[in-house]
Amino acid sequence: MATNLSIDPTLLAKALELSGEKTKKATVNMALREFIARREQKKLRELFGRLEWSADFDYKRERTRA
């Protein structure tokens, strides 16, 4: 899918330098992957402290197939 974007050249140059990628396309793709990963991690972090754990839960027993 071809897309024309107006990207701040200063930001793109800095991202290209920091990423170590050889092309602008690869840099933008890497940045998008990292953006998505961070947002997904943020959703997981919001669960910390909200889940109740049972101290006597035997996780190894749950691995066995019945």
Side-chain angles (χ1 to χ4, degrees):
M1 168 175 65
T3 304
N4 292 326
L5 298 173
S6 177
I7 299 175
D8 181 335
T10 306
L11 290 176
L12 186 55
K14 186 67 174 178
L16 192 58
E17 176 187 333
L18 291 172
S19 71
E21 294 290 344
K22 296 183 188 294
T23 65
K24 292 176 185 176
K25 178 180 178 179
T27 300
V28 171
N29 284 331
M30 175 189 277
L32 289 171
R33 282 191 300 274
E34 288 185 13
F35 174 82
I36 291 166
R38 286 185 183 269
R39 291 295 170 113
E40 289 174 343
Q41 288 172 359
K42 182 179 177 184
K43 289 178 186 176
L44 289 175
R45 282 194 312 264
E46 290 171 356
L47 292 176
F48 282 115
R50 293 186 180 189
L51 301 176
E52 294 182 22
W53 298 99
S54 175
D56 61 340
F57 178 72
D58 185 3
Y59 69 92
K60 289 184 179 180
R61 186 185 67 199
E62 296 296 321
R63 293 182 187 171
T64 60
R65 297 182 188 198

